[in-house]
Amino acid sequence: MKSIERITLLGSTGSIGVQTLDIVRRYPDRFRITSLVAHSRWQQLAEQAREFGAESVVIGDTRYYDELKEALRDTSTEVLAGSDAINHVAKSYRSDTVVNALVGYAGLHPTALAIESGKRIALANKETLVVAGDLIMKEARRKGVDILPIDSEHSAIMQCLDGERREAVRNLIITCSGGALRDMAREELANVTPEMALRHPQWSMGAKITIDSSTLVNKGFEVIEARWLFDMAPERIKVVIHPQSIVHSMVEFTDGAIKAQLGSADMHTPISYALLYPERATEPQEDFSILNHPTLSFSEVDHAKYPALGIAYECLERGGTAACVMNGANEVAVAAFLGHKCGYLDIVGAIRYALDNASFVAHPTLADYDASNIEARELARRYLKL
Ligand code: NDP
Ligand code: MG
């Protein structure tokens, strides 16, 4: 019988966080929640803490500390607040695994600290690898820490690579739904509103990643994520449009064979794969029949419509802090777009401006990434006149 795995869940109130708790709920003999971390949704966090008997909770935004503390007054759950407290639980000896489902740059330091303290990491926070994939993977190898991807494309690739020899891999093929605006002409994009871009055809996700999916910034980030996670040269990472979101990604081998992983567009599968690896969930979250999907189609990306994908490859080519700049500028621009403070095309405009004007560090430390992130955000704000 396996011993119970103690889990710290960062971002428990988000889309991935809630689905992670669904898996934990299904396997009470396998997992125990040690700490839960959220940013603002303190009521939901308090309910989760009660249900799962968390030893500690952290609310990132310190303004909600008093309410959260009061809501958990009659429990033994320790209540903490602020980013130092998030870092504290990320490296706490009380857990074996950190599930990082934070959104944005905020996920980087907790991942680095969890690696430093030797924990297994189930990683949804792709920004960690986009910003600092080189450094993070080197540290993970040095510490002998496993980083298990939750992102569905990377989970698919990991499943396809299982049991294969590295030398036999020719290309990784990442599939892309095309996002909410895939049927819209390039000329119409200038008038896109947040409401339009938030209507993702297949996946139900947090707001930021849904916008990133529509611009293909998300796909660009996934190329960068794959480059570091699987130590693969960028020119061997391809992207194809696959509107049905049934093939979650593929690996092409030297003999011409292609392996793919298929299934419903449901994040419970990659989450359970990461948590239970090398075992698998004993039953699916929802039934899926391939017979309901008689048509699977694949096509090339229109780079004129989606310049962000090319920019991500450019960042890999430049290396150093380039992808950190792309990420920082994107975070500011997406938040501005969601707040109706800039237009849709300004998102990629802000990324371009930041990349063209930011300083560059070729071999950054974590402190260099922090500085680069701040600079990128300032540049984006300047471009957007915020
Ligand atoms: P959500 O926006 O739904 O959730 C984000 C979580 O992080 C919430 O718990 C939020 O807290 C918390 N949070 C946000 N900002 C901060 C901060 N500054 N400090 C601490 N906590 C913070 O995001 P998703 O679940 O959609 O995405 C999480 C990550 O997973 C992202 O990196 C995304 O790219 C990746 N991912 C998501 C997929 C999906 O299907 N959703 C698929 C593949 C990858 P609160 O809500 O309380 O404010
Ligand atoms: Mg994905």
Side-chain angles (χ1 to χ4, degrees):
M1 168 105 174
K2 282 216 155 214
S3 61
I4 285 208
E5 200 170 310
R6 298 166 305 167
I7 293 180
T8 289
L9 173 55
L10 312 178
S12 63
T13 52
S15 161
I16 295 289
V18 165
Q19 295 178 85
T20 300
L21 290 175
D22 290 340
I23 305 294
V24 170
R25 199 180 282 116
R26 273 170 55 191
Y27 296 92
D29 301 335
R30 282 293 300 274
F31 304 118
R32 179 183 311 140
I33 291 293
T34 309
S35 300
L36 295 170
V37 173
H39 187 62
S40 58
R41 284 179 265 186
W42 62 270
Q43 292 104 326
Q44 191 182 348
L45 181 60
E47 280 163 27
Q48 293 175 338
R50 278 180 192 281
E51 179 185 349
F52 292 91
E55 289 175 27
S56 63
V57 289
V58 184
I59 189 82
D61 188 333
T62 50
R63 287 176 300 176
Y64 302 111
Y65 173 79
D66 289 341
E67 279 114 323
L68 181 61
K69 178 93 183 147
E70 177 61 22
L72 291 171
R73 188 168 33 99
D74 58 327
T75 70
S76 58
T77 302
E78 187 184 7
V79 179
L80 304 162
S83 51
D84 286 348
I86 298 176
N87 290 340
H88 169 72
V89 297
K91 64 180 183 208
S92 162
Y93 66 91
R94 289 188 187 151
S95 71
D96 310 300
T97 298
V98 168
V99 178
N100 189 343
L102 297 177
V103 61
Y105 191 89
L108 175 61
H109 283 270
T111 308
L113 290 164
I115 292 172
E116 204 181 298
S117 58
K119 292 188 206 325
R120 193 169 184 257
I121 293 172
L123 189 65
N125 180 260
K126 64 185 78 189
E127 293 89 348
T128 289
L129 293 176
V130 169
V131 170
D134 195 6
L135 189 148
I136 288 289
M137 292 310 290
K138 269 191 199 131
E139 280 305 296
R141 276 190 290 273
R142 195 173 65 79
K143 296 292 283 186
V145 159
D146 289 330
I147 298 191
L148 297 139
I150 285 181
D151 215 347
S152 59
E153 292 77 3
H154 306 76
S155 177
I157 290 169
M158 183 179 160
Q159 293 176 57
C160 293
L161 289 174
D162 209 20
E164 299 287 351
R165 287 169 52 245
R166 248 209 93 79
E167 312 81 80
V169 176
R170 176 173 287 158
N171 290 310
L172 307 182
I173 305 170
I174 298 179
T175 52
C176 173
S177 70
L181 311 172
R182 67 180 178 216
D183 298 325
M184 194 176 268
R186 182 159 41 114
E187 302 72 44
E188 296 172 64
L189 292 180
N191 301 320
V192 165
T193 62
E195 294 68 32
M196 289 155 85
L198 282 171
R199 247 176 264 134
H200 197 285
Q202 263 85 30
W203 299 92
S204 158
M205 311 181 283
K208 189 218 172 221
I209 187 178
T210 307
I211 301 299
D212 288 351
S213 298
S214 76
T215 54
L216 258 63
V217 163
N218 180 54
K219 213 44 61 177
F221 282 179
E222 291 180 353
V223 169
I224 300 175
E225 193 183 356
R227 189 262 173 272
W228 300 119
L229 206 48
F230 304 113
D231 191 18
M232 186 66 57
E235 62 274 15
R236 291 168 61 190
I237 306 172
K238 317 283 180 193
V239 174
V240 297
I241 299 281
H242 167 51
Q244 298 82 12
S245 294
I246 297 299
V247 174
H248 297 310
S249 278
M250 305 176 246
V251 176
E252 182 185 343
F253 296 91
T254 46
D255 61 354
I258 294 179
K259 275 166 88 174
Q261 185 258 328
L262 287 73
S264 63
D266 176 6
M267 289 305 294
H268 288 95
T269 314
I271 295 169
S272 69
Y273 190 75
L275 287 183
L276 292 161
Y277 183 83
E279 291 164 37
R280 279 183 183 270
T282 45
E283 55 197 60
Q285 188 77 17
E286 57 181 56
D287 288 332
F288 172 81
S289 168
I290 200 71
L291 295 175
N292 294 332
H293 305 277
T295 306
L296 299 179
S297 59
F298 304 92
S299 59
E300 277 193 50
V301 175
D302 175 352
H303 285 271
K305 181 175 172 188
Y306 297 116
L309 183 59
I311 295 177
Y313 280 99
E314 178 193 323
C315 288
L316 279 177
E317 173 95 37
R318 287 203 207 179
T321 43
C324 176
V325 171
M326 178 179 182
N327 178 71
N330 180 61
E331 278 185 32
V332 167
V334 169
F337 174 67
L338 285 169
H340 297 269
K341 292 193 184 105
C342 74
Y344 183 72
L345 294 177
D346 291 331
I347 298 174
V348 172
I351 293 172
R352 187 71 270 164
Y353 178 82
L355 273 171
D356 290 345
N357 291 283
S359 46
F360 179 76
V361 181
H363 302 288
T365 60
L366 273 180
D368 293 326
Y369 284 123
D370 285 343
S372 171
N373 177 50
I374 289 170
E375 186 189 16
R377 301 175 79 94
E378 277 167 11
L379 287 166
R381 274 193 288 271
R382 189 192 303 164
Y383 177 83
L384 298 168
K385 301 188 175 58
L386 297 175

